[in-house]
């Protein structure tokens, strides 16, 4: 907390003021995989909840499209942005950072950098943005963009059916009245690296069942940490925005947290697992359909390769 010129403690918090999304045009259905791999719509739907996903675009082009929409929704022009954080696991180039390309496409002001915490990256980026705002930054454009189709072996049924491409973005702005980020929890267990990784130039390798078990465990622990950190209980959560990897993972975590599925935003049936993009895509779906009301309590919860995890509780307030 900062003090003003009279020595009185002042709050410099943050809130979400805009959001946007981008999905490539090409829709790949479960039937498309059924036609060429030893799999079925039934297996994919029952084991994952995924029915279709999108393929195409570059990480930068999708990020810029989502970012542009988020700026419009916040009523800002690009030069009013002081910092751009791009969460991605699939940068278009090794260097420079993909955020440089996005900065040029959008014309944002201030600095820009990429952040990679795999599928937990978007919430990591939200927390970093909140910290930067506390340090004096006014407006941060936070984007999650991934083109996982490029690092997925499309002939391997155990991974091909799971992943898709897309982007989502939010604008976070300084809030002088109240910090709408009530608590956060970031974590990593690097010893779990071998269960999900991708070498340079290669394809993702995953021990699905192991990732599944650990994902449920870390999501529940992390969510409990932020609920407790915000001095709330599960009953106070109005909406969960979880990483969208597998419907069964979300159901198992919700069950353990005693949060009903009706209070959860799900987009994975239409998007597959889009890594960094999945949480902002699910947020935008909820916000656009009027599911988020002023003052409601939103739990964001991510996990991914690393193994990383990240949660935050936000009091929803656009105004
Ligand atoms: O963002 C984080 C990244 N990843 C994740 O979160 C993924 C976490 N893991 C999962 O979502 C699930 O473990 C999977 C969806 C990957 C797999 O589901 P599962 O219920 O854990 O299945 P399994 O790996 O235990 O495999 C069961 C069977 C196997 O056959 P056998 O050994 O029982 O004969 C697999 O070979 O299902 C088979 N299988 C498939 N069958 C049809 C695996 N993939 C497919 C497929 N179609 N696409």
């Amino acid at each position: 907390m900062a003090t003003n010129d009279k020595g009185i403690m002042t709050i410099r918090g943050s809130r979400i003021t805009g959001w946007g999304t981008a999905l490539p045009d090409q829709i790949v259905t479960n039937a498309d995989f059924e036609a060429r791999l030893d799999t079925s719509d039934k297996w994919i739907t029952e084991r994952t909840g995924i029915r279709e996903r999108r393929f195409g675009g570059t990480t930068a082009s999708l990020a810029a499209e989502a970012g542009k929409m988020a700026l419009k929704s916040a009523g800002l022009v690009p030069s009013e942005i002081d910092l751009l954080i791009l969460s991605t696991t699939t940068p278009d180039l090794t260097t420079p950072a993909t955020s440089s390309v996005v900065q040029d496409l959008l014309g944002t002001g201030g600095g820009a950098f990429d952040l990679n915490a795999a599928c937990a990256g978007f919430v990591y980026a939200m927390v970093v943005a909140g910290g930067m705002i506390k340090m004096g930054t006014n407006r941060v454009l936070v984007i999650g963009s991934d083109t996982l189709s490029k690092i997925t072996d499309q002939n391997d049924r155990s991974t091909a059916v799971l992943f898709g491409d897309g982007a989502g973005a939010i604008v976070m702005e300084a809030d002088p009245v109240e910090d709408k980020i009530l608590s956060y929890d970031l974590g990593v267990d690097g010893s779990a690296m071998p269960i999900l990784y991708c070498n340079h130039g290669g394809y993702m390798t995953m021990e699905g069942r192991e990732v599944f078990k650990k994902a449920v465990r870390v999501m529940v622990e992390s969510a409990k940490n932020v609920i407790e950190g915000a001095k709330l209980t599960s009953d106070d959560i109005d909406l969960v925005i979880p990483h969208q990897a597998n419907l069964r993972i979300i159901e198992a975590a919700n069950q353990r947290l005693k949060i009903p599925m009706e209070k959860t935003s799900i987009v994975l049936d239409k998007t597959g697992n889009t890594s960094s993009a999945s949480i902002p895509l699910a947020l935008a779906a909820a916000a656009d359909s009027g599911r988020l009301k002023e003052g409601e309590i939103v739990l964001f919860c991510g996990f991914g390769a690393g193994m990383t995890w990240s949660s935050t509780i936000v009091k929803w307030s656009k105004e």
Side-chain angles (χ1 to χ4, degrees), residues 39 43 47 119 157 206 208-209 243 245-246 248 273 303:
T39 188
W43 191 96
R47 298 286 180 125
C119 306
R157 69 174 185 176
M206 180 172 73
R209 217 173 296 183
H243 171 47
N246 185 322
R248 286 161 52 225
N273 179 348
F303 64 89

Side-chain angles (χ1 to χ4, degrees), residues 201-240:
Y203 291 131
M204 267 185 286
T205 301
M206 180 172 73
E207 286 175 41
R209 217 173 296 183
E210 270 311 299
V211 176
F212 190 113
K213 281 191 283 185
K214 282 191 164 43
V216 174
R217 202 177 312 141
V218 300
M219 270 180 90
V220 171
E221 274 176 26
S222 188
K224 281 184 176 167
N225 284 343
V226 286
I227 290 170
E228 202 184 300
K231 300 187 172 48
L232 299 171
T233 69
S234 293
D235 291 343
D236 298 315
I237 304 299
D238 295 302
L239 190 72
V240 186

